[in-house]
Amino acid sequence: MHSTSFWLLAGLLSVAHGSSLLHSESIDAPQVRAVSPFGNLPNPILDDPLRLANPLSKRTKNCPNSPSDRTCWGQYDITTNYYDTVPNTGKTREYWFNLIEKNLSPDGVPRYTQTINGSLPGPTIEADWGDRVVIHLTNSLKTSTNGTTLHFHGIRQNYTNPMDGTPSITQCPVAPGKSMTYSWRATQYGTSFYHSHFGLQAWEGLFGGIKINGPATANYDVDLGNLFLNDWLHATPDATYASAQTQGPPTEDNGLINGTNVFGTAGSRFKQTFKAGTRYRIRLVNAAIETHFKFSIDNHTLTVISNDFVPIKPYTTNAVSIGIGQRYDIIVTANQPANNYWMRAIPQLACSYLKSADLVRGIIRYNSSSTADPTSKGYTLPNDCNDESPSKLIPYLALNAGATKPTSRLTTTVGPSAADPNIFKWYFNTTTFYSDWSNPSLAQIYTNKTTNWTFQSGAIELPNPNSWAVIVIETAFPAPHPMHLHGHDFYLLGAGVGAFNTSIPLTTQNPPRRDVAMLPANGYMVLAFLTDNPGVWLLHCHIGWHTSQGMDLQFIEREKEIKALIDSQSAWKGLNQTCANWKQSVKANSVVQDDSGV
């Protein structure tokens, strides 16, 4: 059994919550599938009431976003504090998603999948900064009895916790044959993805892009949109889960770039044509179940302009190290001789298990009529699963963290399940996480049934508004973990190899901010966030196997405000009905929960 420890430091330093009055402005928007007036939508979600206090300070002149100045965004720009200020565009982006079963062959090998509208990746959700986004999800599974949810990864859901899409936490799963509508404001801009949070369904195929248009820290000509990096099993993850619990994660059969690759003589590679002299923005997303990638394009330099949903001061590199759940926006200039070049997503075998690791490639062509494979050589890169250096990930909007010394320590372990020593579980707080699909935390809070959270629920209460919570996570396990927090961008105060102690200096002056960071192997990480978003928020390892095997906990943030928050959004009726539908499906189909619940 491997020793791991988890520290919770609840800071007592309170800070004022920034607030502003939202104003409308006119910003050109891309075409979307459908747009409807907000007033016609069921159960509209209210904005954070604290945002309606003071007038908003904006530019006195319009600043158009253009290839020559991407820092501009109408009456706002890259210096606007997006945690306090959000444009009110008056626009709603509305999508209809249908979860269906379909055999697909992303690398030429047929496999059963569960996808949105039959595509892999699913359709991209695109909006402008400040738009309202509405997604109608229908579970149309026929042979499977799986429920489903949609989690909008990295979207803070500011004061819209019921829309976070986390089963057993913010909702019951959506039962087969039933529907649910999600609604939230795009208070941030940048790149992410949506995915199911039900079991391993995300890696059955339920994922797709999120693209929120806004200002950027460097100029570019063409936005190529999201580029997904995935690993891929020819057997379904659900079919391999039992063996993963007893024997460890399986070796992935292949990797995909934007949902495609070759396998032997089957399949086809992702291809992109470059026009000489053009600057391309590429939005990288690692949506793998267990693989850490390094991304590069032979002979080309990458300019990195954001990590997760946080714009950063640009830096250049030959390759980007991208953990599971992380996103990096890069700019690539087509400045090489006209030829064909390999695009590489290199699995890092120091922490990943993937066959033919050198074959996860796409092709960049300067001549679209060419059919030849590239002969270019890749960069020499170390085989490791480290984050990009914190010294490079400097937020453009400079904010400081209010860190405090440890006030409590929680110890965790990693090893066999106490109930069945043949099954491997991950532990936080000396217990492996378990929360009932049919009894989500929000429902427990609403019905006042939370006097004592169960030992397995991994609940950490943060009752004080606008105070700092500082989390130290340690592991003695010889593998890293991509740790993801819902509901917040956290401040990464420190990370390193070895045990943490309070004499280690922490960075509080404009440290990196993001929603996924790597816990180093045999090391520690220190995260901080402000309790400015009431709700129940999950913290978990984003390796799919680990999430299902209990490497999760939940923060109960400002619990006394949550019931009123649910009422203000008329969310209880929908939450209660979704749970009633799910319980009926469980009874009718004898559904048995066999994982952590998230």
Side-chain angles (χ1 to χ4, degrees), residues 1 16 70 236 264 309 498 504 569:
M1 182 172 292
R70 294 293 185 186
T236 67
F309 268 125
I504 295 175
Q569 299 168 15

Side-chain angles (χ1 to χ4, degrees), residues 23 36 68 90 112 127 212 254 323 332 344 385 395 449 455 533 550 595:
H23 293 269
S36 68
S68 62
Y112 170 89
I212 309 297
N254 206 350
V332 183
R344 301 176 189 265
C385 303
K449 294 180 179 178
F455 184 65
N533 194 8
D595 77 347

Side-chain angles (χ1 to χ4, degrees), residues 48 183 229 413 482 548 586:
D48 173 356
S183 178
L229 312 180
T413 56
S548 284
V586 168

